[in-house]
Amino acid sequence: MAAAAKSAACKRIVLACLALGTLAVMAPAAAQARYDADTTYKKLVRDYPFIRIASADAPAPVQVRKDIVYAKRDALALALDLYLPAAGDAPAPLVVLVHGGGWASGERSNMAPLAARLAARGYAAATVSYRLSGQARYPAAIDDVKDALDWLRAQAPGLGLDAARVAIAGGSAGGQIAALVGMTRPDAVRAVINIDGLSDFTSELALRFEDDPAKRPSAAGAWFGGRYAEQPALWRDASPLTHAGKDSPPVQFIVGAAPRFSSGREALAATLASHGILTDTVALDGAPHSFWLFDPWLAPTVDAMDRFLGKTLGPVPARAPWSPDLGNGRYRNPILHADYSDPDAIRVGERYYMVSSSFANAPGLPLLASSDMVNWELVGHALPQLTPPAAFAAPQPGKGVWAPSLRHHDGRFWIFYPDPDHGIYVTTATDFAGPWSAPHLLLPGKGIIDPAPLWDDDGRAWLIHAWAKSRAGINNVLTLRRMAPDGRSLLDEGRVVIDGNRLPGYRTLEGPKLYKRNGWYYVFAPAGGVEHGWQSVFRSRRIEGPYEDRIVMAQGATGTNGPHQGAWVTTPQGGDWFFHFQDLRAYGRVVHLQPLRWLEDWPLIGEPSATPGVGQPVTEHAKPVPGVFARREPATGDEFDGAVLGRQWQWTANPQRGWYALDARPGMLRLFAQPTAPLRTLGSVLTQKFPAPAFGLTASAELRTVRDGDQVGLGVLGLTSQWFGLRRVDGKPRMVAARCEGAGECIETLGPALDSYKVLLRAQVTHGARVAFSYSQDGYVFIPLGEPFDAMMGRWVGAQVGLLATGAPGAWADVDYARITP
């Protein structure tokens, strides 16, 4: 961090955040004189080496509405900021967040990181301003927060809030305010979360701290207008403990290392317990005051709040880490922020269908369906195992299923897909979700890729395809062949109809899709390479050519690199759209949706660019299909409570009997230990795609060992892979981390010993595909293991997260869940 930026950050953190102590904080002027921002920041970094400022940026598609005025006090406007989850089918439960600052400082934006992460979990979160002690004394702040609460409940229908499911939470001084409002307004508040805030101003600890000569005038004294001896009634009235009774809402206490800040907690918990009211205490050992504003403590704070709110407000629908539907009739790209490479899509009736490459992962050929081209569900895979089975008994990075083509003809769905080492296969189904027929090898050979069929108006059938130079020795050309209408054989040797080598600047012409419109034959085909290429269209009055060419979409002035290879789809209303991918390296090839318009029988894809006739990708647009459709995203995490694995899982090779079971311990996935080997050579790794630019995966695992070396792990796979997990070492459980270069041996580092063979393994992926591993045994505090690293793409695929168990025969690991969260 640059010196100027660090200084600004320090002052912002220290004065507005670190000085939030319930009794320790003095008036703003005194606080500024007492604390040197740079010195304090350096001390924090020294004492807490993992500390980092939590981002206040709201993860899209969280919506933020700022500066909403909820009340006026003479010339002073009191405002709140509202963080809303992506539009769902039901109103969102609300959490009102109250900032700290010793009642004398701070502002609602201090709670923005907490609000953004709660909204990403499906809660609406409102950060509220209130009058500070320099503006008005107690109980003005309490009245303000109550007014904000009432305003939000009154406006709930128009804001998408559930007025019957409201919680209030605050940190430090804000924790005391939140608890007091909750105790005095049980009609409006169903749950209270007091984060390191006191519950009793009159406790022995609180008064002893108040009597410290170095703390005069104290923040509390300034707020009440006098010390306890001078204003005892106010001090008692402001204590949440005073108002606790049989009608009080449940309370969660989240506390750090200094007990004075949460003074009175045990007494309030005991009082509530005497009335049978739920309380919950989460202690983050070693955490400094204001921990809820910083990583790594913000994450366990949100986790703890989420668990408690789920109990008291009821569950919220699981939120996907990425959703393209903005909830306002518009969508954002990519519509699939996951490695659904080389997409092809069609419409049949009112439904849309998509397939994509899967390379060497099994099952292969993912099948996706949608009602509006924006919200997609993964409904299955066309290939339970890759063909031929023996060739994929072990991982084969970069091989397998390349760019497929999807069509609907003669009452059936057809998929033509290439295996660059074996040839072009065809599989069909009457129901898109399957079952699909056994793959038929239509065209044997090496390097024959990217097939696309066309059944013409005259009953003849055709197949166009490209070539892979790595196998065939040629590329940059497209070959057209006559095909039997039943798709079982080809009727000629084919001829090159488009030669990219004769076109200026063309290289790697591939991925053709063959269409017919208004008497024109069109070949949509990309060129220039996946990261830096463009989308071209070729047209001719005769299917065998000659074809004229035009570039119809390029990156232009946008940040969407290499936009190409996809599908043209028309809605029932006559609108035209184009699917394509963007190569994002570690994230894989993500899917975009672009509007398409026809100009003099040439398509222009996206929005007009500076080059006439050439479009550029849009990042946001009105949805293509009118009407209201439920939000849908491909599934990600898994609770393992079904009879089969979730469709989102793929193995790194054809799965074998004995790798796993779902009935050995109901509700859990049992991974039977396979012989230990370098990570990239293990076929028994259960993987998922990276589902978003930023996400977390937490897996709960228990290891049953036979001998030393048995282990369970969570990893990130790519050209360079890293994993970590729990291993038996010298008869005891111990953490281990490993870095694996390609298919070579892994460099391992042993971590701490644990108390048991049960552990939570977590991988946090932040923007830029930076990964951090951590583990926990209590579910609250996660301990980092190793240094963060950058995930790497694999061979033609993005990085993947994966679960594994290796060791001696008879060992296994039970995985209770693998949860992916925003």
Side-chain angles (χ1 to χ4, degrees), residues 1-15 17-19 34-54 288 293-295 297:
M1 182 183 294
K6 177 185 286 188
S7 178
C10 294
K11 292 175 182 176
R12 182 171 66 253
I13 297 165
V14 175
L15 300 181
C17 303
L18 294 178
R34 182 183 179 97
Y35 292 103
D36 175 80
D38 291 314
T39 301
T40 306
Y41 181 79
K42 291 174 183 177
K43 182 178 184 298
L44 271 175
V45 173
R46 182 196 69 199
D47 294 342
Y48 305 97
F50 298 111
I51 195 171
R52 60 186 184 276
I53 304 167
L293 301 174
F294 297 94
D295 284 322
W297 298 289

Side-chain angles (χ1 to χ4, degrees), residues 1-348:
M1 182 183 294
K6 177 185 286 188
S7 178
C10 294
K11 292 175 182 176
R12 182 171 66 253
I13 297 165
V14 175
L15 300 181
C17 303
L18 294 178
L20 298 182
T22 306
L23 297 174
V25 178
M26 296 177 279
Q32 192 163 357
R34 182 183 179 97
Y35 292 103
D36 175 80
D38 291 314
T39 301
T40 306
Y41 181 79
K42 291 174 183 177
K43 182 178 184 298
L44 271 175
V45 173
R46 182 196 69 199
D47 294 342
Y48 305 97
F50 298 111
I51 195 171
R52 60 186 184 276
I53 304 167
S55 171
D57 295 335
V62 170
Q63 304 173 52
V64 185
R65 303 182 185 181
K66 292 194 173 185
D67 304 319
I68 302 173
V69 175
Y70 71 83
K72 289 189 175 182
R73 306 288 189 245
D74 297 324
L76 178 65
L78 296 173
L80 59 85
D81 297 336
L82 186 60
Y83 292 72
L84 295 168
D89 299 329
L94 171 66
V95 184
V96 178
L97 295 173
V98 188
H99 70 83
W103 310 280
S105 63
E107 55 188 31
R108 65 182 185 274
S109 63
N110 297 152
M111 304 298 277
L114 193 55
R117 296 202 190 185
L118 286 171
R121 300 286 181 100
Y123 302 95
T127 62
V128 301
S129 296
Y130 56 86
R131 285 172 290 174
L132 304 174
S133 60
Q135 298 167 309
R137 293 177 178 171
Y138 174 84
I142 310 303
D143 295 337
D144 294 344
V145 175
K146 288 181 179 179
D147 283 352
L149 174 66
D150 290 338
W151 186 91
L152 286 162
R153 294 178 71 230
Q155 302 298 320
L159 296 173
L161 311 177
D162 188 345
R165 294 198 294 164
V166 178
I168 188 167
S172 192
Q176 174 269 328
I177 293 173
L180 183 58
V181 171
M183 294 300 104
T184 55
R185 287 297 308 277
D187 60 311
V189 175
R190 283 180 51 178
V192 171
I193 301 176
N194 187 344
I195 309 173
D196 229 23
L198 62 74
S199 299
D200 182 13
F201 281 102
T202 68
S203 69
E204 179 181 354
L205 178 60
L207 292 177
R208 183 169 68 249
F209 193 75
E210 160 69 13
D211 286 337
D212 183 348
K215 300 295 185 281
R216 297 178 186 172
S218 72
W223 193 37
F224 293 125
R227 301 177 63 236
Y228 174 65
E230 299 164 335
Q231 299 282 1
L234 290 182
W235 286 64
R236 284 193 299 271
D237 187 64
S239 300
L241 176 62
T242 302
H243 304 276
K246 61 181 181 63
D247 297 323
S248 296
V251 178
Q252 180 182 54
F253 304 95
I254 306 177
V255 298
R260 70 175 182 269
F261 294 118
S262 56
S263 181
R265 170 182 58 82
E266 293 179 351
L268 178 55
T271 299
L272 295 173
S274 70
H275 294 288
I277 297 169
L278 171 70
T279 62
D280 177 48
T281 299
V282 177
L284 299 181
D285 295 336
H289 194 45
S290 303
F291 56 83
W292 60 95
L293 301 174
F294 297 94
D295 284 322
W297 298 289
L298 177 56
T301 300
V302 175
D303 286 344
M305 293 176 71
D306 192 10
R307 283 191 288 269
F308 181 72
L309 293 170
K311 293 178 182 178
T312 54
L313 300 185
V316 297
R319 297 280 165 170
W322 177 267
S323 176
D325 194 330
L326 298 177
N328 57 0
R330 300 178 67 82
Y331 72 92
R332 61 172 175 162
N333 276 316
I335 56 167
L336 291 167
H337 205 302
D339 190 22
Y340 290 100
S341 176
D342 310 312
D344 196 17
I346 61 173
R347 175 180 61 84
V348 179

Side-chain angles (χ1 to χ4, degrees), residues 416 424 426 440-444 448 451-453 461-465 479-494:
F416 291 70
I424 291 175
V426 181
H440 165 66
L441 184 57
L442 173 65
L443 177 58
I448 309 167
W462 302 86
L463 185 77
I464 195 169
H465 66 80
T479 297
L480 181 72
R481 301 173 187 259
R482 284 282 309 279
M483 181 176 72
D486 64 1
R488 302 294 294 180
S489 61
L490 295 172
L491 306 180
D492 63 18
E493 294 299 317

